[in-house]
Coordinates of all heavy atoms in Angstrom, one line a residue:
E1101 N 0.8 -1.2 0.0 CA 0.0 0.0 0.0 C 0.9 1.3 0.0 O 1.9 1.3 0.7 CB -0.9 -0.1 1.2 CG -1.9 1.2 1.2 CD -2.9 1.0 2.3 OE1 -3.4 -0.1 2.7 OE2 -3.2 1.9 3.0
E1102 N 0.5 2.2 -0.8 CA 1.2 3.4 -0.9 C 1.2 4.3 0.4 O 0.1 4.4 0.9 CB 0.7 4.3 -2.0 CG 1.5 5.2 -2.6 CD 1.0 6.1 -3.8 OE1 0.4 5.3 -4.8 OE2 1.0 7.3 -3.9
E1103 N 2.3 4.7 0.9 CA 2.4 5.5 2.1 C 1.6 6.9 1.9 O 1.9 7.6 0.9 CB 3.8 5.8 2.6 CG 3.9 6.4 3.8 CD 5.4 6.7 4.3 OE1 6.2 5.8 3.9 OE2 5.7 7.7 4.9
G1104 N 0.8 7.2 2.8 CA 0.1 8.5 2.8 C -1.1 8.5 1.9 O -1.7 9.5 1.7
A1105 N -1.5 7.4 1.2 CA -2.5 7.3 0.3 C -3.9 7.7 1.0 O -4.8 8.1 0.4 CB -2.6 6.0 -0.4
D1106 N -4.0 7.4 2.3 CA -5.2 7.5 3.0 C -5.4 8.9 3.6 O -6.4 9.2 4.3 CB -5.5 6.5 4.0 CG -4.3 6.4 5.1 OD1 -3.3 6.9 4.7 OD2 -4.6 5.6 6.1
L1107 N -4.5 9.8 3.5 CA -4.4 11.1 3.9 C -5.4 12.0 3.2 O -5.6 11.8 2.0 CB -3.0 11.7 4.0 CG -1.9 11.1 4.8 CD1 -0.6 11.8 4.6 CD2 -2.4 11.2 6.3
P1108 N -5.9 13.0 3.8 CA -6.9 13.9 3.1 C -6.1 14.6 2.1 O -5.0 15.0 2.2 CB -7.5 14.8 4.2 CG -7.2 14.1 5.5 CD -5.9 13.3 5.2
F1109 N -7.0 15.2 1.0 CA -6.4 15.9 -0.1 C -5.6 17.1 0.3 O -4.6 17.3 -0.1 CB -7.5 16.3 -1.0 CG -7.0 17.2 -2.1 CD1 -6.5 16.7 -3.3 CD2 -7.2 18.6 -2.1 CE1 -6.1 17.5 -4.3 CE2 -6.8 19.3 -3.0 CZ -6.3 18.9 -4.2
F1110 N -6.1 17.8 1.4 CA -5.5 19.1 1.8 C -4.1 18.9 2.5 O -3.3 19.8 2.6 CB -6.4 20.0 2.5 CG -6.7 19.4 3.8 CD1 -6.1 19.7 5.0 CD2 -8.0 18.6 4.0 CE1 -6.5 19.1 6.3 CE2 -8.3 18.1 5.2 CZ -7.4 18.4 6.3
I1111 N -3.9 17.6 2.9 CA -2.6 17.3 3.6 C -1.7 16.8 2.6 O -0.5 17.1 2.6 CB -2.9 16.3 4.8 CG1 -3.6 17.0 5.8 CG2 -1.5 15.7 5.2 CD1 -4.0 16.0 7.1
Q1112 N -2.2 16.0 1.7 CA -1.2 15.4 0.6 C -0.8 16.5 -0.3 O 0.3 16.6 -0.8 CB -2.0 14.3 -0.1 CG -2.1 13.1 0.5 CD -2.7 12.0 -0.4 OE1 -3.3 12.2 -1.5 NE2 -2.7 10.7 0.0
Y1113 N -1.7 17.5 -0.6 CA -1.4 18.6 -1.6 C -1.8 19.9 -1.0 O -2.7 20.6 -1.5 CB -2.3 18.3 -2.9 CG -2.0 16.9 -3.4 CD1 -3.0 15.9 -3.3 CD2 -0.9 16.6 -4.2 CE1 -2.9 14.6 -3.8 CE2 -0.7 15.2 -4.6 CZ -1.7 14.3 -4.4 OH -1.6 13.0 -5.0
P1114 N -0.9 20.4 -0.1 CA -1.5 21.7 0.6 C -1.4 22.8 -0.4 O -2.3 23.7 -0.3 CB -0.3 21.8 1.6 CG 0.7 21.0 1.2 CD 0.3 19.9 0.4
R1115 N -0.5 23.0 -1.4 CA -0.5 24.1 -2.3 C -1.6 24.0 -3.2 O -2.4 25.1 -3.4 CB 0.8 24.2 -3.1 CG 2.0 24.7 -2.2 CD 3.2 24.7 -3.1 NE 3.8 23.4 -2.6 CZ 4.7 22.7 -3.3 NH1 5.2 23.2 -4.5 NH2 5.4 21.6 -2.8
S1116 N -2.1 22.9 -3.6 CA -3.2 22.8 -4.5 C -4.5 23.1 -3.8 O -5.5 23.7 -4.3 CB -3.3 21.3 -5.2 OG -2.2 21.1 -6.0
A1117 N -4.6 22.6 -2.4 CA -5.6 22.8 -1.7 C -5.9 24.3 -1.4 O -7.0 24.9 -1.4 CB -5.6 22.1 -0.4
N1118 N -4.8 25.0 -1.0 CA -4.8 26.4 -0.9 C -5.3 27.2 -2.1 O -6.1 28.1 -2.0 CB -3.4 27.1 -0.5 CG -3.2 26.9 1.1 OD1 -4.0 26.6 1.8 ND2 -1.9 26.8 1.4
L1119 N -4.8 26.8 -3.3 CA -5.3 27.5 -4.5 C -6.7 27.3 -4.7 O -7.5 28.2 -5.1 CB -4.5 27.0 -5.7 CG -4.8 27.5 -7.0 CD1 -4.6 29.0 -7.0 CD2 -4.1 26.9 -8.1
L1120 N -7.1 26.0 -4.5 CA -8.6 25.7 -4.7 C -9.4 26.5 -3.7 O -10.5 27.0 -4.0 CB -8.8 24.3 -4.5 CG -10.1 23.7 -4.7 CD1 -10.6 24.0 -6.1 CD2 -10.2 22.2 -4.4
L1121 N -9.0 26.5 -2.4 CA -9.7 27.3 -1.4 C -9.8 28.9 -1.8 O -10.9 29.4 -1.6 CB -9.0 27.2 0.0 CG -9.6 27.9 1.1 CD1 -11.0 27.3 1.4 CD2 -8.7 27.7 2.3
V1122 N -8.8 29.4 -2.3 CA -8.8 30.9 -2.7 C -9.8 31.1 -3.8 O -10.6 31.9 -3.7 CB -7.4 31.3 -3.0 CG1 -7.5 32.7 -3.6 CG2 -6.5 31.4 -1.7
I1123 N -9.6 30.2 -4.8 CA -10.6 30.3 -5.9 C -12.1 30.1 -5.5 O -12.9 30.9 -5.9 CB -10.3 29.2 -7.0 CG1 -8.9 29.6 -7.6 CG2 -11.3 29.1 -8.1 CD1 -8.3 28.5 -8.6
L1124 N -12.4 29.0 -4.7 CA -13.7 28.9 -4.2 C -14.2 30.1 -3.3 O -15.4 30.6 -3.5 CB -13.8 27.6 -3.4 CG -13.7 26.3 -4.1 CD1 -13.6 25.1 -3.2 CD2 -15.0 26.2 -5.0
Y1125 N -13.3 30.6 -2.5 CA -13.7 31.7 -1.7 C -14.0 32.9 -2.5 O -14.9 33.6 -2.2 CB -12.6 31.9 -0.7 CG -13.1 32.9 0.4 CD1 -13.9 32.4 1.5 CD2 -12.7 34.2 0.5 CE1 -14.4 33.3 2.4 CE2 -13.1 35.0 1.5 CZ -14.0 34.6 2.4 OH -14.4 35.4 3.5
A1126 N -13.0 33.2 -3.5 CA -13.4 34.4 -4.3 C -14.7 34.1 -5.1 O -15.5 35.1 -5.3 CB -12.2 34.5 -5.2
G1127 N -14.9 32.9 -5.6 CA -16.2 32.5 -6.3 C -17.4 32.9 -5.4 O -18.4 33.4 -6.0
V1128 N -17.3 32.5 -4.2 CA -18.5 32.8 -3.3 C -18.8 34.3 -3.1 O -19.9 34.7 -3.2 CB -18.2 32.1 -1.9 CG1 -19.2 32.6 -0.8 CG2 -18.3 30.7 -2.0
G1129 N -17.7 35.1 -3.0 CA -17.8 36.5 -2.9 C -18.4 37.1 -4.1 O -19.4 37.9 -4.2
I1130 N -17.9 36.8 -5.4 CA -18.4 37.2 -6.6 C -19.8 36.8 -6.8 O -20.6 37.8 -7.1 CB -17.4 36.6 -7.8 CG1 -16.1 37.2 -7.7 CG2 -18.1 37.0 -9.2 CD1 -15.1 36.5 -8.6
L1131 N -20.2 35.6 -6.5 CA -21.5 35.2 -6.6 C -22.5 35.9 -5.8 O -23.6 36.3 -6.1 CB -21.7 33.7 -6.5 CG -23.1 32.9 -6.6 CD1 -23.4 33.1 -8.0 CD2 -23.0 31.5 -6.1
Y1132 N -22.1 36.2 -4.6 CA -22.9 36.9 -3.6 C -23.0 38.3 -4.1 O -24.2 38.8 -4.0 CB -22.2 37.0 -2.2 CG -23.0 37.7 -1.2 CD1 -24.0 37.0 -0.4 CD2 -22.7 39.0 -0.8 CE1 -24.7 37.7 0.5 CE2 -23.4 39.7 0.0 CZ -24.5 39.0 0.8 OH -25.2 39.8 1.6
F1133 N -22.0 39.1 -4.5 CA -22.2 40.4 -5.0 C -23.0 40.5 -6.3 O -23.8 41.5 -6.4 CB -20.8 41.1 -5.1 CG -20.1 41.2 -3.9 CD1 -18.7 41.0 -3.8 CD2 -20.7 41.7 -2.7 CE1 -18.1 41.1 -2.6 CE2 -19.9 41.9 -1.5 CZ -18.6 41.6 -1.5
V1134 N -23.0 39.5 -7.1 CA -23.7 39.5 -8.4 C -25.1 39.3 -8.0 O -26.1 40.1 -8.5 CB -23.2 38.5 -9.3 CG1 -24.2 38.2 -10.4 CG2 -21.9 38.9 -9.9
T1135 N -25.4 38.3 -7.1 CA -26.9 38.1 -6.8 C -27.5 39.1 -5.8 O -28.7 39.4 -6.0 CB -27.0 36.6 -6.4 OG1 -26.2 36.4 -5.2 CG2 -26.6 35.6 -7.4
V1136 N -26.9 39.4 -4.8 CA -27.4 40.2 -3.7 C -27.4 41.7 -4.1 O -28.5 42.4 -4.0 CB -26.9 40.0 -2.4 CG1 -27.3 41.0 -1.4 CG2 -27.1 38.5 -2.0
L1137 N -26.3 42.1 -4.6 CA -26.2 43.6 -4.9 C -26.5 43.9 -6.4 O -26.6 45.0 -6.7 CB -24.7 44.1 -4.5 CG -24.5 44.1 -3.0 CD1 -23.0 44.7 -2.8 CD2 -25.4 44.9 -2.2
G1138 N -26.5 42.9 -7.2 CA -26.8 43.1 -8.6 C -25.6 43.8 -9.3 O -25.9 44.2 -10.5
W1139 N -24.5 43.6 -8.8 CA -23.3 44.0 -9.6 C -22.9 43.1 -10.7 O -23.3 42.1 -10.7 CB -22.1 44.2 -8.6 CG -22.2 45.2 -7.5 CD1 -23.1 46.2 -7.5 CD2 -21.3 45.4 -6.5 NE1 -22.9 47.0 -6.4 CE2 -21.8 46.5 -5.7 CE3 -20.2 44.7 -6.0 CZ2 -21.3 46.9 -4.6 CZ3 -19.6 45.2 -4.8 CH2 -20.1 46.3 -4.2
S1140 N -22.2 43.7 -11.6 CA -21.7 42.8 -12.8 C -20.6 42.0 -12.3 O -20.0 42.2 -11.2 CB -21.1 43.8 -13.9 OG -19.9 44.4 -13.4
P1141 N -20.4 40.9 -12.9 CA -19.2 40.0 -12.5 C -18.0 40.7 -12.4 O -17.1 40.4 -11.5 CB -19.3 38.9 -13.5 CG -20.6 38.8 -14.1 CD -21.1 40.3 -14.0
E1142 N -17.6 41.5 -13.3 CA -16.4 42.4 -13.3 C -16.3 43.2 -12.1 O -15.2 43.3 -11.4 CB -16.3 43.2 -14.6 CG -16.2 42.4 -15.9 CD -17.6 42.1 -16.5 OE1 -18.6 42.5 -15.9 OE2 -17.6 41.3 -17.4
T1143 N -17.3 43.9 -11.6 CA -17.3 44.8 -10.5 C -17.2 43.8 -9.2 O -16.4 44.2 -8.3 CB -18.5 45.6 -10.4 OG1 -18.6 46.4 -11.6 CG2 -18.5 46.5 -9.2
S1144 N -18.0 42.8 -9.3 CA -17.8 41.9 -8.2 C -16.3 41.3 -7.9 O -15.8 41.1 -6.8 CB -18.8 40.7 -8.4 OG -20.1 41.2 -8.4
F1145 N -15.8 40.9 -9.1 CA -14.4 40.4 -9.1 C -13.5 41.5 -8.5 O -12.5 41.2 -7.7 CB -13.8 40.0 -10.5 CG -12.5 39.5 -10.6 CD1 -12.2 38.3 -10.1 CD2 -11.5 40.4 -10.9 CE1 -10.9 37.8 -10.1 CE2 -10.2 40.0 -11.0 CZ -9.8 38.7 -10.5
Y1146 N -13.6 42.7 -9.0 CA -12.9 43.9 -8.5 C -13.0 44.2 -7.0 O -12.1 44.3 -6.2 CB -13.4 45.2 -9.2 CG -12.8 46.4 -8.8 CD1 -11.5 46.8 -8.9 CD2 -13.6 47.4 -8.1 CE1 -11.0 47.9 -8.6 CE2 -13.1 48.7 -7.8 CZ -11.8 48.9 -7.9 OH -11.3 50.1 -7.6
A1147 N -14.3 43.9 -6.4 CA -14.4 44.0 -5.1 C -13.8 43.0 -4.2 O -13.2 43.2 -3.3 CB -16.0 44.0 -4.8
V1148 N -13.9 41.7 -4.8 CA -13.2 40.5 -4.0 C -11.7 40.8 -4.1 O -11.0 40.5 -3.1 CB -13.7 39.3 -4.8 CG1 -12.9 38.1 -4.2 CG2 -15.2 39.0 -4.4
A1149 N -11.2 41.2 -5.2 CA -9.7 41.4 -5.4 C -9.3 42.5 -4.4 O -8.2 42.3 -3.7 CB -9.3 41.8 -6.8
Q1150 N -10.1 43.5 -4.1 CA -9.8 44.5 -3.1 C -9.9 44.0 -1.8 O -9.0 44.2 -1.0 CB -10.6 45.7 -3.2 CG -10.5 46.7 -4.3 CD -11.4 47.9 -4.1 OE1 -11.9 48.3 -3.0 NE2 -11.9 48.5 -5.2
I1151 N -10.8 43.2 -1.5 CA -10.9 42.6 -0.1 C -9.8 41.6 0.2 O -9.1 41.7 1.3 CB -12.3 41.9 -0.1 CG1 -13.4 42.8 0.0 CG2 -12.4 41.0 1.2 CD1 -14.9 42.3 -0.1
L1152 N -9.5 40.8 -0.7 CA -8.5 39.7 -0.5 C -7.1 40.3 -0.5 O -6.2 39.6 0.2 CB -8.7 38.5 -1.6 CG -9.9 37.7 -1.4 CD1 -9.9 36.5 -2.4 CD2 -10.0 37.2 0.1
T1153 N -6.9 41.2 -1.2 CA -5.5 41.9 -1.2 C -5.4 43.1 -0.1 O -4.3 43.6 -0.1 CB -5.2 42.4 -2.6 OG1 -6.1 43.4 -3.0 CG2 -5.1 41.3 -3.6
T1154 N -6.6 43.4 0.6 CA -6.6 44.4 1.6 C -6.2 45.7 1.0 O -5.8 46.6 1.8 CB -5.7 44.1 2.8 OG1 -4.3 44.1 2.4 CG2 -6.0 42.7 3.5
V1155 N -6.4 46.0 -0.3 CA -6.3 47.3 -0.9 C -7.4 48.3 -0.3 O -7.1 49.3 0.2 CB -6.3 47.2 -2.4 CG1 -6.2 48.6 -3.0 CG2 -5.1 46.5 -2.8
G1156 N -8.6 47.9 -0.6 CA -9.7 48.8 -0.2 C -9.7 50.2 -0.5 O -9.6 51.1 0.3
Y1157 N -9.9 50.5 -1.8 CA -10.0 52.0 -2.3 C -11.1 52.8 -1.7 O -11.1 53.9 -1.6 CB -10.0 51.9 -3.8 CG -8.8 51.5 -4.5 CD1 -8.9 50.4 -5.3 CD2 -7.6 52.0 -4.3 CE1 -7.7 49.8 -5.9 CE2 -6.4 51.5 -4.9 CZ -6.4 50.4 -5.7 OH -5.4 50.0 -6.3
G1158 N -12.2 52.0 -1.2 CA -13.3 52.7 -0.8 C -14.3 53.3 -1.8 O -15.1 54.1 -1.5
D1159 N -14.2 52.9 -3.0 CA -15.0 53.3 -4.0 C -16.2 52.4 -4.3 O -17.0 52.8 -5.2 CB -14.2 53.5 -5.3 CG -13.6 52.1 -5.7 OD1 -13.4 51.2 -4.9 OD2 -13.2 52.0 -7.0
L1160 N -16.4 51.4 -3.5 CA -17.6 50.6 -3.8 C -18.6 50.7 -2.6 O -18.1 50.7 -1.4 CB -17.2 49.1 -4.0 CG -16.4 48.8 -5.1 CD1 -15.8 47.4 -5.2 CD2 -17.2 49.0 -6.5
P1161 N -19.9 50.8 -2.9 CA -20.9 51.0 -1.7 C -21.3 49.7 -1.3 O -22.1 49.0 -1.8 CB -22.0 51.8 -2.5 CG -21.9 51.4 -3.9 CD -20.4 51.0 -4.2
F1162 N -20.9 49.2 -0.1 CA -21.2 47.9 0.6 C -22.4 48.2 1.5 O -22.7 47.3 2.2 CB -20.1 47.3 1.2 CG -19.0 46.9 0.4 CD1 -17.8 47.5 0.3 CD2 -19.1 45.7 -0.5 CE1 -16.7 47.0 -0.5 CE2 -18.2 45.4 -1.3 CZ -17.0 45.9 -1.4
G1163 N -23.0 49.3 1.5 CA -24.0 49.8 2.4 C -24.8 48.8 3.2 O -24.6 48.4 4.4
E1164 N -25.7 48.1 2.4 CA -26.7 47.2 3.1 C -26.1 45.8 3.3 O -26.9 44.9 4.0 CB -27.9 47.1 2.2 CG -27.7 46.3 0.9 CD -27.5 47.4 -0.2 OE1 -27.2 48.5 0.0 OE2 -27.6 46.8 -1.4
V1165 N -24.9 45.5 3.0 CA -24.3 44.2 3.3 C -23.1 44.2 4.1 O -22.2 43.4 4.0 CB -24.1 43.4 2.0 CG1 -25.5 43.0 1.3 CG2 -23.2 44.2 1.0
K1166 N -23.1 45.3 4.9 CA -21.7 45.5 5.7 C -21.5 44.2 6.6 O -20.3 43.9 6.8 CB -21.9 46.7 6.6 CG -21.7 47.9 5.7 CD -21.6 49.2 6.6 CE -21.4 50.4 5.8 NZ -21.4 51.6 6.6
G1167 N -22.5 43.6 7.2 CA -22.2 42.4 7.9 C -21.6 41.3 7.3 O -20.7 40.7 7.7
F1168 N -22.2 41.0 6.0 CA -21.6 40.0 5.2 C -20.1 40.4 4.8 O -19.2 39.6 4.9 CB -22.4 39.7 3.8 CG -21.6 38.9 3.0 CD1 -21.7 37.5 3.1 CD2 -20.9 39.4 1.8 CE1 -21.0 36.7 2.2 CE2 -20.2 38.7 0.9 CZ -20.3 37.1 1.1
V1169 N -19.9 41.6 4.3 CA -18.7 42.0 4.0 C -17.5 41.9 5.1 O -16.4 41.5 5.0 CB -18.6 43.4 3.4 CG1 -17.2 43.9 3.1 CG2 -19.4 43.5 2.2
T1170 N -18.0 42.3 6.4 CA -17.1 42.2 7.6 C -16.7 40.8 7.7 O -15.4 40.6 7.9 CB -17.8 42.8 8.8 OG1 -18.2 44.1 8.6 CG2 -16.8 42.8 10.0
A1171 N -17.6 39.8 7.8 CA -17.3 38.4 8.0 C -16.5 38.0 6.8 O -15.4 37.2 7.0 CB -18.5 37.6 8.2
Y1172 N -16.8 38.3 5.6 CA -16.1 37.9 4.5 C -14.5 38.4 4.5 O -13.7 37.7 4.2 CB -16.7 38.4 3.2 CG -16.2 37.9 1.9 CD1 -16.6 36.6 1.5 CD2 -15.4 38.6 1.0 CE1 -16.0 36.1 0.3 CE2 -14.8 38.1 -0.2 CZ -15.2 36.8 -0.4 OH -14.6 36.1 -1.6
V1173 N -14.3 39.6 4.9 CA -13.0 40.2 5.0 C -12.2 39.4 6.1 O -11.1 39.0 5.9 CB -13.0 41.6 5.5 CG1 -11.8 42.2 5.8 CG2 -13.5 42.5 4.3
L1174 N -12.8 39.2 7.2 CA -12.1 38.5 8.4 C -11.8 37.1 7.9 O -10.5 36.6 8.2 CB -13.0 38.4 9.7 CG -13.1 39.9 10.3 CD1 -14.2 39.7 11.4 CD2 -11.9 40.4 10.7
V1175 N -12.6 36.3 7.4 CA -12.3 35.0 6.8 C -11.3 35.0 5.7 O -10.3 34.2 5.8 CB -13.6 34.1 6.6 CG1 -13.3 32.8 5.9 CG2 -14.5 34.1 7.7
G1176 N -11.5 35.9 4.8 CA -10.6 36.1 3.7 C -9.1 36.4 4.2 O -8.1 35.8 3.6
L1177 N -9.0 37.3 5.3 CA -7.7 37.5 5.7 C -7.1 36.3 6.2 O -5.9 36.1 6.0 CB -7.8 38.6 6.8 CG -8.0 40.1 6.2 CD1 -8.2 41.0 7.3 CD2 -6.9 40.5 5.3
A1178 N -7.8 35.5 6.9 CA -7.2 34.2 7.5 C -6.8 33.3 6.4 O -5.7 32.7 6.4 CB -8.2 33.5 8.4
I1179 N -7.6 33.2 5.3 CA -7.2 32.3 4.2 C -6.0 32.9 3.5 O -5.0 32.1 3.3 CB -8.4 32.2 3.2 CG1 -9.5 31.5 3.8 CG2 -7.9 31.6 1.9 CD1 -10.8 31.4 3.0
V1180 N -5.9 34.1 3.3 CA -4.7 34.7 2.5 C -3.5 34.6 3.4 O -2.4 34.3 2.9 CB -5.1 36.2 2.1 CG1 -3.8 36.9 1.7 CG2 -6.1 36.4 1.1
A1181 N -3.7 34.8 4.7 CA -2.6 34.7 5.6 C -1.9 33.2 5.6 O -0.7 33.0 5.6 CB -3.0 35.1 7.1
N1182 N -2.9 32.3 5.6 CA -2.5 30.9 5.5 C -1.7 30.6 4.2 O -0.7 29.9 4.2 CB -3.7 30.0 5.6 CG -3.4 28.6 5.6 OD1 -2.5 28.1 6.3 ND2 -4.1 27.8 4.8
V1183 N -2.2 31.1 3.1 CA -1.6 31.0 1.9 C -0.2 31.6 1.8 O 0.8 30.9 1.3 CB -2.5 31.5 0.7 CG1 -1.7 31.4 -0.6 CG2 -3.8 30.6 0.5
M1184 N -0.2 32.8 2.3 CA 1.2 33.5 2.4 C 2.1 32.7 3.3 O 3.4 32.6 2.9 CB 1.0 34.9 2.8 CG 0.2 35.8 1.9 SD 0.9 35.8 0.2 CE 2.4 36.7 0.5
N1185 N 1.7 32.2 4.4 CA 2.5 31.5 5.2 C 3.1 30.3 4.5 O 4.3 29.9 4.7 CB 1.7 31.0 6.6 CG 2.6 30.4 7.5 OD1 3.6 30.9 7.9 ND2 2.1 29.2 8.0
D1186 N 2.3 29.4 3.8 CA 2.8 28.4 3.1 C 3.7 28.7 2.0 O 4.7 28.0 1.8 CB 1.5 27.6 2.5 CG 0.8 26.9 3.5 OD1 1.2 26.6 4.6 OD2 -0.4 26.4 3.1
I1187 N 3.5 29.8 1.3 CA 4.5 30.4 0.3 C 5.7 30.6 1.0 O 6.9 30.1 0.5 CB 3.9 31.5 -0.4 CG1 2.8 31.0 -1.3 CG2 4.9 32.1 -1.3 CD1 1.9 32.2 -2.0
F1188 N 5.8 31.5 2.1 CA 7.0 31.8 2.7 C 7.7 30.6 3.3 O 9.0 30.5 3.3 CB 6.7 32.8 3.8 CG 6.4 34.1 3.3 CD1 5.4 34.9 3.8 CD2 7.2 34.7 2.3 CE1 5.0 36.1 3.4 CE2 6.8 36.0 1.8 CZ 5.8 36.7 2.3
N1189 N 7.0 29.6 3.8 CA 7.7 28.3 4.3 C 8.3 27.6 3.1 O 9.4 27.0 3.4 CB 6.6 27.5 4.9 CG 6.3 27.9 6.3 OD1 7.0 28.7 6.9 ND2 5.1 27.5 6.8
E1190 N 7.8 27.6 2.0 CA 8.4 27.0 0.8 C 9.6 27.7 0.3 O 10.6 27.1 0.1 CB 7.4 26.8 -0.3 CG 6.3 25.8 -0.2 CD 6.9 24.4 -0.2 OE1 7.8 24.1 -1.1 OE2 6.5 23.5 0.6
V1191 N 9.5 29.1 0.3 CA 10.7 29.9 -0.2 C 11.8 29.9 0.8 O 13.0 29.9 0.4 CB 10.1 31.3 -0.5 CG1 11.4 32.2 -0.9 CG2 9.1 31.2 -1.6
L1192 N 11.6 30.1 2.1 CA 12.6 30.2 3.1 C 13.0 28.9 3.5 O 13.3 28.1 3.9 CB 12.1 31.1 4.3 CG 11.6 32.4 3.9 CD1 11.1 33.2 5.1 CD2 12.7 33.3 3.3

């Protein structure tokens, strides 16, 4: 039997799992902004990119969904921090 074959995907392939997690998380944000706020996919992608990179130009009105955006930012920061940690561990 192959060693580690019964380990979960995210342990066997942490970089792939992190990439998949970021893509899925961004997709959830884009889908939410498109469906709830009625933004275009491009504007929604722009908003998610601002959130995940912590740029935050302040040019998008999140008015009625501040609760979701707050939670989305906090979880997103944790995901991005985890990904950056894995990248730095590989490089250093």
Side-chain angles (χ1 to χ4, degrees):
E1101 186 174 317
E1102 196 175 313
E1103 186 178 323
D1106 57 344
L1107 292 174
F1109 174 81
F1110 66 91
I1111 293 177
Q1112 285 184 348
Y1113 308 102
R1115 283 176 264 160
S1116 298
N1118 279 338
L1119 178 62
L1120 183 62
L1121 182 61
V1122 169
I1123 290 170
L1124 287 173
Y1125 194 74
V1128 166
I1130 291 168
L1131 185 63
Y1132 181 85
F1133 293 136
V1134 166
T1135 56
V1136 173
L1137 295 179
W1139 291 350
S1140 70
E1142 295 83 8
T1143 302
S1144 299
F1145 178 80
Y1146 173 68
V1148 169
Q1150 279 189 29
I1151 290 169
L1152 293 181
T1153 59
T1154 67
V1155 173
Y1157 293 118
D1159 59 341
L1160 296 173
F1162 292 110
E1164 66 264 15
V1165 293
K1166 284 185 181 177
F1168 170 80
V1169 173
T1170 300
Y1172 190 77
V1173 166
L1174 292 174
V1175 173
L1177 287 175
I1179 291 171
V1180 169
N1182 182 46
V1183 170
M1184 295 304 293
N1185 184 50
D1186 287 348
I1187 291 171
F1188 288 133
N1189 284 337
E1190 285 291 321
V1191 172
L1192 300 176

